[in-house]
Amino acid sequence: MIPIHSVTSDEYPNQETNPINSHEHRPDKPEEACGVFGIYAPEADVAKMTYFGLYALQHRGQESAGIATFEGATVHLHKDMGLVSQVFNEAVLEHLQGNLAIGHTRYSTTGSSRKDNAQPAVVETRLGSLALAHNGNLVNTLQLREELVKTNVSLVTTTDSEMIAFAIAEAVNAGADWLEGSIQAFHRCEGAFSLVLGTPAGVMGVRDPNGIRPLVIGTLPGNPIRYVLASETCGLDIIGAEYLRDVEPGELVWITEAGLASYHWSQKPERKLCIFEMIYFARPDSIMHNESLYTYRMRLGRRIAAESAVDADIVFGVPDSGIPAAIGFSQASGVPYAEGLIKNRYVGRTFIQPTQSMRETGIRMKLNPLKDVLVGKRVIIVDDSIVRGTTSRKLVKALREAGATEVHMRISSPPVTHPCFYGIDTDSQDHLIAATKSVAEIAAQLEVDSLAYLSWEGMLEATQEDTNSFCSACFTGDYPVAIPEQVKRSKLILEKVVV
């Protein structure tokens, strides 16, 4: 029996009835991926360390959180809707005993936002319980679901993550061990999946053959060395773990009392890391390619300054994701950097919506202009992306009302013209402003004096890595993993796009 220590009611049982999920109220950004964490450390309080790891990964998902710990053959599970700090407290963590743990913080991409879909997903096998936390999105979900249903699997949730867990259980119950069964299941999965799995025998970390979503390995000091898995290095830093390396595309790492073992389960790995992880999703203090993403984002700003300079008095970024690029723009252009917008960092997701009159008068819950900085100034505002354009237009209007005489917008990525199918919610294509409008038309809609995007080549060259090793399908429509027609039709609505 799996003890679940707390459950809340589903105030909004599906996305359609949740007012936050209407297009009017959704953020004008690609929505987050998920955050995963795993640890094997019998000497430590693994539940509390997982809590802090998830706390550091909170930016990757704010809808639900969960932790599963293994105490011998017994799995303790607690998951619920809400932020990490809302789902867990000292009393709950005290019940999560064990020598290993996995955790998850979720933004829903496949499966609606409700408590049944919160992770980790736990299933029973002949070898004991299996707990799974997933970052990414499968593209062959419909096929995999049909295969599982035919074998009389009773799916509890609407997530692809649970299907992966049941696929592993199916192989294990047919006689395979944990490693063999997992690898058999992964070969049935197509799309993006960075996973941490907990079993009575140990913790597993896995990436799909393209490594679309990140997953890193850390070490805890001591004898013996203990290992940690996290979506980003910021999840290691918070608990004092040292970054060791990334889990490679198509690799499975198996962490047990014996240490860490590596298995390359895919014969044809081809690295295609999501470039949006580097531009926006991952925290700026996380390390990729041996440097912080803050450094990469500053290079993006320097590059766009070289590509599209404009005379202005000050440059500033949209907090927080546009700030590093704005600093880089200032360094390269000589335009002074200033803070033109102040962000209320205590605003989370809320079900309380402003009235129509409040919306009309421009309610500013998250960003507020600094009038004395802006008045009489020609300003350059730098942001990482524009998805629908709704927030950008309101922001430009607010800057002009604050006294800016000119507003020039610079975007540190190319136009987003295609939706993501690999674990990022970028909306259907007809809601992407750059899919239906030229840059000049977008500029007119936003009412800016000028608008320029970073070139696709500039974005990739700024990585200083092999430019073929990234997925940039949201800018090009070139998907590294083939999308089944039925899935493709759900988002790729337009026959052609304007670039």
Side-chain angles (χ1 to χ4, degrees), residues 29 279-280 284 294 297-298 300-301 315-329 337 343 380-385 410-412:
K29 291 285 181 185
I279 294 168
Y280 171 63
Y294 183 90
R297 292 168 188 174
M298 283 203 301
L300 294 178
V315 57
F316 55 89
V318 176
D320 290 310
S321 56
I323 290 175
I327 293 172
F329 190 104
Y337 174 81
K343 180 179 181 180
I380 302 168
I381 182 168
V382 180
D383 205 354
D384 57 85
S385 61
R410 296 295 180 264
I411 306 300
S412 60

Side-chain angles (χ1 to χ4, degrees), residues 121-323:
V122 177
V123 300
E124 297 301 318
T125 78
R126 68 177 183 87
L127 297 179
S129 299
L130 167 71
L132 178 145
H134 174 206
N135 175 23
N137 211 42
L138 301 187
V139 298
N140 67 328
T141 306
L142 298 176
Q143 175 190 336
L144 185 56
R145 186 180 185 87
E146 288 177 2
E147 293 173 359
L148 291 170
V149 169
K150 285 179 181 178
T151 60
N152 296 317
V153 167
S154 298
L155 297 171
V156 176
T157 77
T158 59
T159 69
D160 53 354
S161 310
E162 184 194 33
M163 296 179 204
I164 302 173
F166 271 115
I168 295 171
E170 193 172 75
V172 168
N173 291 337
D177 62 20
W178 288 120
L179 287 173
E180 294 167 346
S182 297
I183 291 171
Q184 287 178 31
F186 301 149
H187 281 294
R188 299 172 66 182
C189 300
E190 297 173 13
F193 50 97
S194 285
L195 308 169
V196 291
L197 298 93
T199 75
V203 174
M204 201 179 295
V206 186
R207 285 177 87 190
D208 64 77
N210 295 115
I212 295 173
R213 298 278 150 245
L215 188 63
V216 300
I217 308 169
T219 58
L220 289 168
N223 186 17
I225 293 173
R226 299 304 189 186
Y227 294 91
V228 183
L229 299 165
S231 290
E232 299 176 33
T233 61
C234 64
L236 307 177
D237 297 337
I238 195 171
I239 61 168
E242 189 76 21
Y243 169 62
L244 178 63
R245 65 175 178 88
D246 289 8
V247 177
E248 296 174 11
E251 183 186 17
L252 181 159
V253 294
W254 182 226
I255 303 168
T256 65
E257 185 60 29
L260 184 145
S262 169
Y263 303 86
H264 291 272
W265 63 271
S266 172
Q267 300 305 309
K268 295 181 179 179
E270 184 182 5
R271 184 181 186 272
K272 291 289 182 181
L273 176 69
C274 170
I275 192 68
F276 240 121
E277 290 280 359
M278 297 185 63
I279 294 168
Y280 171 63
F281 289 117
R283 261 178 38 173
D285 54 330
S286 285
I287 302 296
M288 290 187 183
H289 312 122
N290 299 312
E291 67 177 7
S292 72
L293 291 176
Y294 183 90
T295 300
Y296 169 66
R297 292 168 188 174
M298 283 203 301
R299 279 202 301 276
L300 294 178
R302 290 196 286 269
R303 181 67 182 245
I304 196 170
E307 292 182 0
S308 55
V310 62
D311 288 335
D313 300 308
I314 58 172
V315 57
F316 55 89
V318 176
D320 290 310
S321 56
I323 290 175

